[in-house]
Structure formats: C-alpha cells, structure tokens
Amino acid sequence: INMGCPVKKVVRSGAGSALLQNPILIGKIVAAVRKATPLPLTVKIRSGWDQQTINYLEIGRIAEEEGADGLVLHPRTRSQGFSGHSEWQHIRQLKEQSRIPVIGSGDIFSAADALDMLETTGCDGIMIGRGGYGNPWLFKEIAAALAGDFLPPPGAEERLRVARKHLDLYVDLFGSYKAVMDMRKHLCWYVRGLSGAAQFRQAINKTGNLDGMKDLLESFLTANPEGAAS
C-alpha cells in the first residue's frame, strides 16, 4: 500500500501521503487489506505531512499492529517533495522500533549510496526510485557492491542499446505517438551528466516522430564515446 505518494492529483483525492494526516484511517485500510489477502503486505509511508506533523513512528506502529508484514519509509515529509536530502535517521529510528522488516528509500543514486544507507540505518532492504531513471544498471552495480565487487559505468554502446530497447518496448505497448510524447523524459535521463545533455534535451523535446528521436539518441551517444556520467 503506497501511502507516501506526494503527487498533487493523488493527494487531492485524499490518497497517497494525504493519508498521513489520518492515522486512524490508515489503520482501518491496513486491517481491511490484511483481511482480504494472505499475500505479503507492505506499507510505504513518508515521515509525515510536514515538519510540524512528523508521525512516521506512530504510523509504522499502527501498520504493524494491523498486520503489515513490512514497512517502507521515504524519510521526507510530503511538503518537502524531493527537495534537500532525506532524513535517513528516521529509517534507523523506525527500524529500532519495529518487529517487522523496514525498507529504506530516498537518495540512492549509486552503489555507494546503497551501502551507506544499509550501514547507517540498519534497514533490512532498500527501494530504488528516482535513482533508477535512465540508469537501470544501478541495480546490478548495487548487487556487485554487496558482493564486494565493482562494476564500471556503462559505455555509450551499452547506453544506446538499452535506451533503444526501452523505446522499442514502449512503442510495442503504447504505440508510436504516445512513445514519442512519453519517452522524451526517459531518453533525457539516459544522457544525464554527459557533455551536451542540455542541448540534447532541447532537441529531443522538439522531436515529433519516432525516427527523429532514434537518430538524435544515436548521434548524441556516438559523440560521447565514454558514455559514463560525469
């Protein structure tokens, strides 16, 4: 159950992180879902609605008492959105209080970040969000780091191969028009941190057809043979 989503259209409906303002209702929802399914039940929350109403420990306790099997905490308030750095100490405090697994979320953009969160908070696992945008290699890099290995960042050829596959899959699922509209942001994430990324963003956002989008992506990555974000 995602009770941490900060998106306005979700919050306006009373869902997502708006529920953090109503702990009693959260308890009723978790209890109802627990009664409805024997499957593993996790509850994702934020630290609170705003700095004046931080209540993640209360919400975590209620969710556990009502039968949740695990908790996921993104330690920012709803009012913070994604600004600043998340308060990882909140994850540690929730872990210390809870008898069920606690998964940490927030500001994991590298394998080093993942290891740091695990060590700093003592959480049972991590959840990747924005860090995976345009960087699907992050998961493999974290797995390698946990095993004591290091994986170098992908080169231009690998970036192009995966970005093209992502684009092709999107076309298969949603058609060319929607792919051109929606994949602009994803392709911008794939080139994030590379030289000329700003110019690429300007060009890709003006592209109105699939072939033009593919040509821009290939020419950009060909011009950046190192392929690794700076």
Side-chain angles (χ1 to χ4, degrees):
I1 307 173
N2 188 352
M3 299 181 177
C5 180
V7 176
K8 288 182 179 179
K9 65 180 180 180
V10 174
V11 171
R12 280 198 298 267
S13 72
S17 56
L19 289 166
L20 298 174
Q21 301 173 97
N22 194 337
I24 294 176
L25 179 57
I26 285 180
K28 292 179 179 178
I29 292 172
V30 175
V33 176
R34 177 72 293 160
K35 185 178 180 180
T37 178
L39 296 174
L41 172 59
T42 58
V43 179
K44 185 180 182 186
I45 60 174
R46 281 188 167 228
S47 294
W49 177 256
D50 56 27
Q51 290 300 121
Q52 288 69 48
T53 57
I54 291 178
N55 61 352
Y56 64 96
L57 291 176
E58 177 190 8
I59 300 298
R61 176 184 55 78
I62 290 172
E64 182 175 335
E65 290 176 351
E66 295 298 344
D69 296 305
L71 300 167
V72 183
L73 176 61
H74 182 117
R76 285 184 174 92
T77 64
R78 188 270 166 183
S79 62
Q80 283 180 285
F82 293 101
S83 63
H85 195 282
S86 55
E87 302 287 343
W88 284 4
Q89 67 268 26
H90 291 178
I91 300 173
R92 169 169 285 282
Q93 290 163 2
L94 183 61
K95 172 60 183 172
E96 291 172 348
Q97 167 187 283
S98 305
R99 292 169 296 175
I100 57 178
V102 172
I103 298 169
S105 175
D107 299 309
I108 300 176
F109 296 99
S110 68
D113 292 335
L115 296 183
D116 192 15
M117 176 179 280
L118 289 166
E119 181 178 357
T120 300
T121 69
C123 63
D124 299 284
I126 56 175
M127 179 175 285
I128 308 298
R130 294 171 298 144
Y133 290 173
N135 186 18
W137 303 274
L138 177 59
F139 304 91
K140 185 165 61 175
E141 291 168 2
I142 292 172
L146 288 170
D149 296 326
F150 170 77
L151 290 180
E157 183 177 352
E158 173 68 0
R159 281 177 176 262
L160 178 60
R161 183 188 69 80
V162 173
R164 285 289 299 271
K165 183 177 181 180
H166 189 167
L167 180 56
D168 290 342
L169 289 171
Y170 210 96
V171 172
D172 290 343
L173 283 171
F174 301 108
S176 298
Y177 177 77
K178 186 170 176 60
V180 170
M181 297 296 105
D182 293 353
M183 281 297 296
R184 289 169 175 169
K185 62 184 179 183
H186 291 281
L187 296 181
C188 287
W189 287 325
Y190 276 103
V191 304
R192 182 173 50 195
L194 298 178
S195 175
Q199 292 84 351
F200 176 84
R201 286 195 298 270
Q202 292 176 1
I204 204 76
N205 284 324
K206 295 177 181 177
T207 303
N209 61 79
L210 195 58
D211 288 338
M213 182 172 278
K214 291 179 178 180
D215 289 345
L216 276 171
L217 180 64
E218 185 160 1
S219 62
F220 176 82
L221 287 175
T222 301
N224 285 270
E226 75 285 354
S230 58

